[in-house]
């Protein structure tokens, strides 16, 4: 009886997390298959954590989201994405990100985001969708803040050009 209850518990969490966060993984990954792998890896990490710790119901999904984002970042690192260090003079021209309201169109541009180069997609997602600062992105990805600015602006330019063309 205990194992059946645990199995039902895990299944319920997995299904509700899938509905809530699979799109998040899809934004970070280049394909549906990669997103599924990242989601499953993240959920395994979450369930292992839950076995060892007491999780408050109120914070469960925030924890799952954090684990999934970090899993996607770790998978990118394992692929050995190399961030080009952008020359200071070039990156200074992008000292402030363009003022565009992405909140209105973020769901519509999921497909466009997947077309971005992996490094640019990673910075773009962390800044636009997760609200990370350039400083936090730079520290987490071990790049300079200027490189983060550069990737964000290149991502914005690419997404905007595709939106304008269509």
């Amino acid at each position: 009886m205990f194992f059946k209850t645990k199995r039902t518990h895990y299944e319920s969490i997995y299904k509700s997390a899938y509905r809530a966060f699979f799109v998040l993984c899809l934004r970070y990954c280049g394909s549906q298959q990669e997103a599924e792998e990242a989601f499953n890896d993240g959920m395994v990490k979450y369930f292992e954590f839950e076995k060892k710790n007491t999780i408050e119901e109120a914070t469960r999904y925030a924890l799952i989201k954090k684990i999934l984002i970090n899993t996607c970042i770790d998978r990118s690192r394992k692929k050995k994405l190399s961030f080009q260090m952008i020359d200071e003079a070039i990156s200074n021209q992008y000292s402030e990100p363009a003022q565009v309201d992405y909140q209105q169109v973020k769901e519509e541009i999921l497909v466009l985001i997947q077309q971005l180069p992996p490094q640019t997609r990673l910075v773009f997602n962390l800044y636009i969708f997760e609200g990370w600062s350039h400083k936090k992105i730079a520290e987490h990805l071990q790049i300079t803040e200027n490189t983060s600015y550069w990737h964000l602006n290149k991502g914005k330019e690419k997404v905007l050009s595709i939106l304008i063309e269509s």
Side-chain angles (χ1 to χ4, degrees), residues 40-110:
N40 288 332
D41 289 349
M43 290 306 295
V44 167
K45 290 176 186 176
Y46 169 76
F47 290 132
E48 287 173 357
F49 183 81
E50 187 182 88
K51 284 179 188 176
K52 298 174 187 169
N53 301 284
T54 304
I55 308 293
E56 295 290 326
E57 186 70 31
T59 60
R60 171 175 285 132
Y61 291 99
L63 177 61
I64 290 173
K65 181 179 179 181
K66 183 175 183 174
I67 290 171
L68 290 173
I69 290 170
N70 286 325
T71 299
C72 290
I73 291 170
D74 291 344
R75 288 177 63 84
S76 295
R77 280 192 190 134
K78 285 180 184 174
K79 288 182 180 178
K80 298 188 186 224
L81 294 179
S82 62
F83 284 87
Q84 274 187 321
M85 299 312 267
I86 309 303
D87 182 54
E88 188 97 19
I90 294 172
S91 62
N92 281 341
Q93 66 180 321
Y94 298 112
S95 61
E96 289 296 321
Q99 296 299 315
V100 179
D101 184 12
Y102 284 102
Q103 190 64 28
Q104 297 174 356
V105 294
K106 72 180 185 180
E107 291 304 319
E108 297 172 11
I109 61 174
L110 176 60

Side-chain angles (χ1 to χ4, degrees), residues 131-148:
W132 287 22
S133 67
H134 286 291
K135 182 177 181 174
K136 184 174 179 181
I137 293 169
E139 289 170 0
H140 204 75
L141 299 178
Q142 299 173 343
I143 59 175
T144 66
E145 284 185 55
N146 284 333
T147 301
S148 177

Side-chain angles (χ1 to χ4, degrees), residues 2 8 10 14 18 29 63 107 111-113 133 135 141 144-145:
F2 172 76
T8 305
Y10 289 145
Y14 183 91
Y18 187 87
C29 299
L63 177 61
E107 291 304 319
V111 174
L112 303 177
I113 292 170
S133 67
K135 182 177 181 174
L141 299 178
T144 66
E145 284 185 55

